[in-house]
Amino acid sequence: MQFTTLALTALASAQAVFAASGSQEFVTLAIASGSGLQYTSFTAKGDDLYFGSGSDALAANVTDCGFLQFTDGSYAYIEADGSFKKGSRQSAMPGFVIKDGSLKYNNHSFYGVKDGEHYKISSVAGSEDSIGVLVRALSPEGGVNSVPDYTPDGKDCWAVGPPVSFSKRDVASVSSGNGAAQLGSQASLGVGAAAAVAAMLL
Ligand SMILES: *[C@@H]1O[C@H](CO)[C@@H](O)[C@H](O)[C@H]1NC(C)=O
Ligand SMILES: *[C@@H]1O[C@H](CO)[C@@H](O)[C@H](O)[C@H]1NC(C)=O
């Protein structure tokens, strides 16, 4: 019983700690000289993501799981055709970093793929109408300053699950010490809670 209280306290404080990690918030600025996409930003029409006018720009951050999260709380994910959409935490896909002042997905820049009047944001060059775009991650305060580079440190984030992340190393080092017997005997604790306790015991 005492241990359960400890576990819940540990989980709550671990979430508080990890909620604070992630990149700074930024707005996007497309660099695609000589094209209509120059100086556009990430915008949304419904759940579809397009390059659009700066006044509709979505602000976002990269979480420590490598998700791109927008300020409305939604997350970026990729459709089978390579285009980006936004949706719930369950659909979120990792792989985003901020490198050299630019947002990257799996180490790549982005493509604008023509879709009627607009250009969808895509991870692949879909057609001859697509344009390669470097996406700068700028401070929302305005000006041309990029936010600091950020590489997510969550190594084993759940694809679906609690918004907390712990590496296998944390759990493994507890298993070799005193915590193992306690954790083992608390079968009713979810994996996330057990990992949280493991991290707090270190
Ligand atoms: C990232 O953005 C989301 C949505 O605005 C916010 O809830 C979260 O606290 C932000 N994370 C960081 C580290 O700023
Ligand atoms: C990302 O790209 C850089 C430079 O192109 C390269 O040195 C690095 O190994 C790449 N990283 C990954 C994870 O592919």
Side-chain angles (χ1 to χ4, degrees):
M1 200 54 195
Q2 209 178 353
F3 184 77
T4 306
T5 309
L6 168 67
L8 291 175
T9 309
L11 179 61
S13 44
Q15 275 176 325
V17 168
F18 279 83
S21 64
S23 80
Q24 277 183 23
E25 190 180 303
F26 57 86
V27 291
T28 52
L29 183 74
I31 305 297
S33 330
S35 83
L37 297 188
Q38 175 81 326
Y39 302 146
T40 56
S41 297
F42 281 19
T43 60
K45 286 206 305 176
D47 288 340
D48 295 322
L49 294 175
Y50 289 90
F51 287 104
S53 148
S55 56
D56 296 329
L58 297 168
N61 59 35
V62 173
T63 74
D64 85 320
C65 285
F67 299 131
L68 180 65
Q69 185 175 21
F70 300 104
T71 42
D72 66 1
S74 66
Y75 293 85
Y77 70 94
I78 300 181
E79 289 275 56
D81 68 358
S83 57
F84 288 92
K85 298 190 86 168
K86 67 188 186 73
S88 69
R89 171 72 170 77
Q90 278 68 29
S91 55
M93 288 188 181
F96 293 91
V97 302
I98 298 171
K99 188 155 179 286
D100 302 330
S102 296
L103 180 69
K104 299 282 164 84
Y105 175 74
N106 282 347
N107 218 11
H108 290 295
S109 294
F110 296 84
Y111 294 94
V113 174
K114 204 161 181 6
D115 177 38
E117 296 282 283
H118 303 278
Y119 281 85
K120 284 203 244 186
I121 302 169
S122 183
S123 59
V124 294
S127 64
E128 57 216 51
D129 278 337
S130 55
I131 296 171
V133 179
L134 181 72
V135 175
R136 301 275 313 278
L138 301 185
S139 163
E141 273 84 62
V144 293
N145 291 330
S146 296
V147 296
D149 281 1
Y150 178 74
T151 300
D153 41 26
K155 294 186 179 62
D156 285 292
C157 293
W158 278 262
V160 174
V164 293
S165 69
F166 300 95
S167 72
K168 280 182 181 141
R169 181 186 51 77
D170 293 337
V171 178
S173 43
V174 168
S175 302
S176 62
N178 233 354
Q182 285 179 307
L183 287 173
S185 67
Q186 289 292 325
S188 62
L189 283 176
V191 174
V197 173
M200 296 307 288
L201 287 172
L202 288 181

